[in-house]
Amino acid sequence: MAFLPVNRQDMAERGWDQCDFVYVCGDAYVDHSSFGMAIITRTLEAHGYKVGVICQPDWRDEKSVQVLGEPRLAFLVSSGNMDSMVNHYTVAKRRRSEDFYSPGGKMGLRPDHATVVYSNLIRRVYRHVPIVLGGIEASLRRLAHYDYWSNSLKRSILLDSGADLLIYGMGERSIVEVADALDSGLPIDQITWIHGTVYRTRTTEDVDRPLALPTWEQMRADKLNYARSFGIQGRNLDPFSARTLVEEYPHGVYVVQNPPTMPLTTEQMDETYELPYERTYHPMYEAAGGVPAIKEVKFSIANNRGCLGQCSFCALNFHEGRIIQSRSHASILREARLMTQDPDFKGYISDLSGPTADFRIPACAKQLKSGACPNRRCLAPEPCPNLRVTHEDLVQLLRELRAIPGIKKVFIRSGIRFDYAMLDHDHTFIKELAEYHTSGQLRLAPEHISDQVLEIMGKPHNHMYEDFCKEFEKYSRAAGKEQYVLPYLMSSHPGSTMREAVKLAEFCRDLGYNPEQVSDFYPTPSTVSTCIFYTGVDPRTMKHVYCPTNPHEKAMQRALIQYRNPKNYDLVVEALHIAHREDLIGYGPKCLVRPDGPWHGKHEGDGKGEKSNGHGGNRRRSGGKGRGGYGNNGSRNHGKAQGQGQSRGKGQSGKGPRANATGGHGGNQHTDAQHSTYASRGRHPGKKAHRGGNQHRDQR
């Protein structure tokens, strides 16, 4: 199947005079199921609609949105697989140097707040053509929200964009309903009943089961009202039980959010992921070197959707929901066999992916009949008594994939929820994960080691991580493999005082890890943690939570994790004094820094500690007797790929697009935008330790 039209010539070759829909997107054109634009456009095409694509138009030139002419039904607008602000800026609000969703990784091909800018550009040219928003940026900004980059509360993106309708969450079902309604001749302002949509109105008389949120003026006057609003939203995310939410603005304007769309069935999931994608970027980008984001996902396979983990810093719950939806074995195996026919395929499936790879079934049987409990968590900090835990289906699926001729190895890089794995009394999955699906390093996301912080994060207590590591190492040894668990850690999350941050530094010291990159909590739109950052209270309980918000304090907490970096010396010493942990300033084996500065004495410690094993990290609990020593590993704040992004959580590896939550016109987006890659401290100061010694390159 050919790429969809990107110019008039493409339309003419198809015999089209006019498109039904024109999809305007902030990403380059990649026709792969990891990209929301591809899913939505192919879904509409499968339902008989003519769809054209305008990717990364010049927002300073009105002609750039006229290249396909006026669509018959509507413009569809998305920022792409990421929120454009996360795409452009680090947590320190510094401009990134690369955009992995643009040709050649070039930065600057989309504007800040791309959805708003594109929509207003279209409205200036086509005053009466309906505009429908979707994608992750629109989905997570659908109601009033805190914007970290301007440090302010912003209105619903529907109002600032001038659009007519917004599709949030997973958009395949909703977009077809909207398309059919428009095709029937209904005006866009009368399409008010479709689940998974947000619209504006001047009357709420016809709203079904409305639930009033605090008004815009009330939220602006008191941050606690925003926390109350976010708490209500969090209790109305389930498609079975959610009510219609109404947010009032001045001058008689209301923004109305319909309940979420129903989850897809297995058959519908199969249909979505087996649409005729080209599975690569458009050839017009060849001269620029292609689109970097495809490299991480071209040979990955989507396994599931939804996440019952509910990590506080992750937007998955707000975007995809908690009900797990999975593809059938047959569908996944067909895609795997298709990969083996690609001349670029080397035998390695880079990821059997999903928000969390080891979720294959809903948390309990009740969820498919009456939805997820609005006031109870499924998994953490303590599992629900009704939680169903089994990896039997996943183990069987992995065995079937391994048996396909031409497939050498299947990696699991989207991460696993290690507490869920440990709750399964049958540890066959952990055994086979170590034996067949890991090569050198297994990346997990404990995020922190303080149970106080972990509870606020919605993560399991630290003993679960320790127990899993023991099991994984046991099965690795039994398989005759030297393999290590590499932890992702997060600094300055709500609940993390300076004393908690010091504990995290001691954890790194005892493991012998020198984090090359650090994940500093990033307050991205519509997460519980972001609400805490802005308001100072947990919207689930309305109780006060300490949160580092001062940039200098965040820098100190970040520096503590990278205490071996000489550049961080002053920040580390200051942090230790604030935490009253002067005992860690000295020459002893447990000290983090010397009192005489970073450049005095030997950089390698006193020689009693363990040496780097050359496989990307010391043993998980090595914690040798020697002092950690200073390497020369600076921090790269922008992370490996911006697809490591915004809605991460649940112990995933923070790779490209599929590590993120799938966006509202279907696309993919992740949580916290810079997750870290860890390397051990090397034997020589000034040299970075090797990452991945015996690790296959696709697992990096």
Side-chain angles (χ1 to χ4, degrees):
M1 191 60 133
F3 285 91
L4 297 173
V6 297
N7 52 45
R8 290 279 192 172
Q9 181 179 341
D10 291 346
M11 291 173 62
E13 289 174 357
R14 290 178 174 237
W16 297 1
D17 295 323
Q18 185 181 32
C19 294
D20 295 324
F21 293 97
V22 171
Y23 195 116
V24 178
C25 186
D27 287 344
Y29 185 10
V30 181
D31 192 30
H32 188 282
S33 60
S34 291
F35 293 74
M37 178 183 65
I39 288 180
I40 293 303
T41 55
R42 290 299 187 185
T43 297
L44 286 169
E45 180 189 46
H47 284 80
Y49 292 102
K50 301 174 182 177
V51 187
V53 172
I54 301 176
C55 285
Q56 299 185 318
D58 184 350
W59 64 96
R60 294 151 297 203
D61 183 0
E62 293 181 353
K63 293 181 180 178
S64 67
V65 294
Q66 301 178 54
V67 295
L68 296 177
E70 180 177 322
R72 182 174 69 90
L73 297 176
F75 278 98
L76 309 176
V77 179
S78 167
S79 69
N81 270 19
M82 294 180 69
D83 186 293
S84 57
M85 300 303 287
V86 177
N87 179 280
H88 285 169
Y89 300 97
T90 70
V91 65
K93 301 182 182 180
R94 298 189 183 98
R95 187 81 171 181
R96 300 186 194 273
S97 60
E98 295 178 283
D99 181 346
F100 283 78
Y101 294 91
S102 292
K106 185 177 180 180
M107 177 56 75
L109 298 183
R110 79 183 89 205
D112 288 355
H113 299 289
T115 303
V116 170
V117 174
Y118 290 152
S119 183
N120 279 291
L121 176 65
I122 294 167
R123 182 60 74 215
R124 289 199 299 271
V125 179
Y126 299 102
R127 294 187 178 278
H128 304 294
V129 177
I131 300 175
V132 181
L133 306 183
I136 196 71
E137 185 167 273
S139 182
L140 299 183
R141 296 172 181 263
R142 58 190 184 256
L143 296 172
H145 56 279
Y146 171 66
D147 181 79
Y148 170 67
W149 302 272
S150 63
N151 191 28
S152 65
L153 195 68
K154 284 188 173 288
R155 305 188 304 171
S156 164
I157 196 172
L158 193 61
L159 300 181
D160 289 341
S161 67
D164 300 286
L165 193 66
L166 183 155
I167 294 176
Y168 71 91
M170 310 308 292
E172 301 95 336
R173 191 193 299 269
S174 301
I175 191 62
V176 173
E177 291 187 62
V178 170
D180 290 347
L182 289 170
D183 192 44
S184 72
L186 272 179
I188 189 84
D189 60 1
Q190 293 183 23
I191 303 175
T192 60
W193 72 90
I194 296 173
H195 283 210
T197 63
V198 179
Y199 64 94
R200 56 181 172 177
T201 182
R202 289 191 174 274
T203 177
T204 59
E205 292 180 359
D206 298 327
V207 174
D208 182 41
R209 299 177 65 226
L211 177 57
L213 299 172
T215 68
W216 168 249
E217 295 294 342
Q218 289 171 336
M219 288 186 284
R220 289 185 67 192
D222 187 350
K223 291 181 179 180
L224 293 182
N225 282 326
Y226 174 69
R228 294 184 183 99
S229 175
F230 197 83
I232 294 170
Q233 294 173 51
R235 293 188 290 274
N236 285 272
L237 295 173
D238 182 78
F240 291 87
S241 61
R243 293 176 61 182
T244 304
L245 304 182
V246 178
E247 193 170 73
E248 182 181 354
Y249 287 85
H251 310 298
V253 175
Y254 299 90
V255 172
V256 180
Q257 175 184 298
N258 286 318
T261 189
M262 296 296 288
L264 298 184
T265 64
T266 296
E267 292 75 17
Q268 290 167 332
M269 285 280 288
D270 291 351
E271 290 172 4
T272 295
Y273 286 97
E274 293 190 79
L275 290 169
Y277 306 105
E278 289 291 310
R279 302 184 62 83
T280 189
Y281 53 80
H282 195 283
M284 63 183 169
Y285 304 126
E286 286 290 355
V291 180
I294 190 63
K295 296 177 183 177
E296 290 283 357
V297 299
K298 184 174 182 179
F299 297 119
S300 65
I301 300 177
N303 166 31
N304 58 35
R305 282 185 182 175
C307 185
L308 55 89
Q310 293 180 271
C311 296
S312 302
F313 50 81
C314 177
L316 275 168
N317 186 40
F318 205 77
H319 183 67
E320 289 194 20
R322 290 160 60 188
I323 299 176
I324 304 300
Q325 305 143 71
S326 299
R327 293 172 65 184
S328 69
H329 287 211
S331 175
I332 291 173
L333 295 175
R334 282 193 294 269
E335 184 171 354
R337 293 189 185 99
L338 185 64
M339 282 182 182
T340 64
Q341 300 172 22
D342 190 307
D344 294 330
F345 184 67
K346 306 302 182 185
Y348 298 94
I349 293 178
S350 62
D351 191 12
L352 183 65
S353 71
T356 298
D358 57 333
F359 291 161
R360 283 282 297 172
I361 60 172
C364 64
K366 164 187 169 293
Q367 285 193 352
L368 293 180
K369 296 180 180 179
S370 41
C373 301
N375 295 306
R376 295 181 66 179
R377 296 188 191 180
C378 299
L379 188 54
E382 297 295 334
C384 173
N386 297 321
L387 178 66
R388 297 187 299 178
V389 182
T390 176
H391 293 79
E392 184 177 351
D393 182 65
L394 179 58
V395 167
Q396 181 59 34
L397 173 59
L398 290 167
R399 289 172 177 172
E400 292 170 1
L401 284 168
R402 296 199 303 266
I404 295 176
I407 292 180
K408 300 175 183 178
K409 201 172 189 70
V410 181
F411 291 101
I412 298 178
R413 300 180 63 206
S414 290
I416 61 172
R417 188 75 187 219
F418 53 82
D419 51 339
Y420 186 78
M422 288 302 295
L423 290 171
D424 191 343
H425 298 298
D426 180 359
H427 284 184
T428 301
F429 170 68
I430 304 177
K431 176 180 181 295
E432 297 199 3
L433 175 70
E435 188 171 356
Y436 299 112
H437 304 290
T438 306
S439 184
Q441 300 171 349
L442 176 67
R443 305 177 188 183
L444 292 181
E447 308 292 358
H448 216 282
I449 50 89
S450 165
D451 288 346
Q452 170 187 315
V453 179
L454 290 169
E455 287 192 8
I456 296 169
M457 287 181 163
K459 300 287 285 186
H461 287 175
N462 190 52
H463 71 84
M464 276 288 195
Y465 171 72
E466 292 288 331
D467 292 345
F468 178 90
C469 289
K470 293 175 185 176
E471 285 294 290
F472 179 79
E473 290 178 358
K474 179 183 75 175
Y475 288 121
S476 292
R477 288 192 299 270
K481 301 174 73 176
E482 188 177 28
Q483 299 185 142
Y484 308 94
V485 174
L486 298 183
Y488 286 139
L489 303 173
M490 185 183 295
S491 64
S492 68
H493 187 273
S496 178
T497 65
M498 199 64 74
R499 294 186 70 86
E500 306 302 319
V502 171
K503 292 178 183 177
L504 203 53
E506 292 181 290
F507 176 79
C508 292
R509 175 201 65 199
D510 294 342
L511 266 63
Y513 284 144
N514 185 15
E516 190 179 53
Q517 296 169 314
V518 173
S519 173
D520 191 2
F521 168 63
Y522 202 157
T524 56
S526 296
T527 72
V528 170
S529 300
T530 297
C531 183
I532 297 173
F533 180 90
Y534 175 58
T535 66
V537 301
D538 188 328
R540 299 165 295 194
T541 64
M542 294 304 293
K543 293 181 179 179
H544 172 74
V545 175
Y546 176 79
C547 185
T549 58
N550 180 281
H552 186 66
E553 181 178 2
K554 287 174 70 70
M556 283 190 287
Q557 292 209 16
R558 179 190 182 93
L560 278 166
I561 302 179
Q562 294 181 309
Y563 68 88
R564 295 183 181 91
N565 187 339
K567 296 178 181 178
N568 291 334
Y569 179 82
D570 291 338
L571 288 171
V572 172
V573 171
E574 182 182 357
L576 293 174
H577 282 299
I578 290 173
H580 303 295
R581 292 299 308 273
E582 290 84 356
D583 58 298
L584 297 177
I585 304 173
Y587 300 96
K590 294 293 186 180
C591 291
L592 300 183
V593 293
R594 296 173 179 265
D596 50 5
W599 302 107
H600 293 272
K602 294 181 179 180
H603 290 296
E604 285 191 313
D606 58 13
K608 297 179 182 178
E610 291 189 17
K611 296 178 180 179
S612 171
N613 57 34
H615 295 292
N618 290 338
R619 289 189 180 276
R620 180 183 55 87
R621 292 180 300 279
S622 63
K625 296 179 181 179
R627 190 179 66 81
Y630 289 97
N632 198 22
N633 295 341
S635 149
R636 294 193 212 121
N637 202 21
H638 60 272
K640 173 185 175 185
Q642 293 156 15
Q644 291 169 333
Q646 172 175 347
S647 349
R648 217 199 98 253
K650 63 250 152 250
Q652 65 192 38
S653 67
K655 59 181 185 63
R658 218 194 281 275
N660 308 328
T662 304
H665 279 273
N668 287 325
Q669 171 80 7
H670 189 48
T671 151
D672 173 26
Q674 309 102 34
H675 245 52
S676 41
T677 302
Y678 287 79
S680 71
R681 66 176 184 271
R683 294 182 59 191
H684 305 288
K687 289 187 179 181
K688 294 180 181 177
H690 295 291
R691 285 192 292 169
N694 64 347
Q695 175 188 22
H696 186 273
R697 61 184 175 83
D698 281 340
Q699 183 77 339
R700 289 177 184 168

